[in-house]
Amino acid sequence: MTMINAEYHLQQLNTELEQVRLCLLTTLSSSCNLLHHSLAETLRKNNPEQWLELTQKQLGTEYKDIIVRLEQLEAAVCQIDIGQYGYCCDCEEKIDSQRLNADPTAQRCGNCEPRS
């Protein structure tokens, strides 16, 4: 059952990753800042898995929400890859499936979330 949910969530995560990456490219390309246009071209030429590293140092706070979501999505995909998906990063207990269905990038169980 956990494996099926992980596969389902992986599909969701990958779909949203594509959407967020496209949103980032579109936003950069439509910016008035020429450095953003240059960065968009750099991203197009690089593996999407390198985008976080390429953008985190070059973008201001106006891109914070996109970058944070990209981090969350990539972290969840990584957890699936290593078999740790669905476990709380603090207490290592299973995260409730309703919580994961609401947000497949959830990193903490209901007990630990308020503490973070």
Side-chain angles (χ1 to χ4, degrees):
M1 181 93 167
T2 303
M3 200 61 196
I4 294 169
N5 286 338
E7 289 175 18
Y8 170 73
H9 287 149
L10 182 59
Q11 252 184 321
Q12 283 185 302
L13 292 164
N14 282 327
T15 299
E16 189 176 347
L17 257 174
E18 287 179 35
Q19 292 169 347
V20 171
R21 287 173 178 151
L22 181 60
C23 176
L24 178 60
L25 280 178
T26 303
T27 306
L28 287 170
S29 297
S30 63
S31 171
C32 295
N33 186 329
L34 292 179
L35 292 174
H36 292 173
H37 290 255
S38 175
L39 180 57
E41 285 305 309
T42 300
L43 294 178
R44 283 187 183 95
K45 294 175 186 173
N46 281 276
N47 183 327
E49 292 175 7
Q50 297 172 316
W51 285 20
L52 270 178
E53 185 179 332
L54 292 167
T55 57
Q56 286 175 320
K57 298 169 189 156
Q58 296 187 42
L59 295 176
T61 55
E62 71 274 21
Y63 289 90
K64 183 180 181 224
D65 291 343
I66 294 173
I67 299 303
V68 166
R69 191 60 183 168
L70 206 50
E71 287 172 337
Q72 292 170 335
L73 291 162
E74 288 189 10
V77 169
C78 181
Q79 286 181 320
I80 289 173
D81 289 346
I82 63 172
Q84 294 298 313
Y85 183 74
Y87 292 92
C88 179
C89 64
D90 291 335
C91 70
E92 299 181 7
E93 293 295 319
K94 283 190 175 184
I95 298 173
D96 183 81
S97 62
Q98 286 180 317
R99 188 177 195 77
L100 288 172
N101 286 334
D103 181 5
T105 66
Q107 298 284 314
R108 291 178 172 82
C109 68
N111 292 329
C112 293
E113 185 64 35
R115 290 186 267 168
S116 58

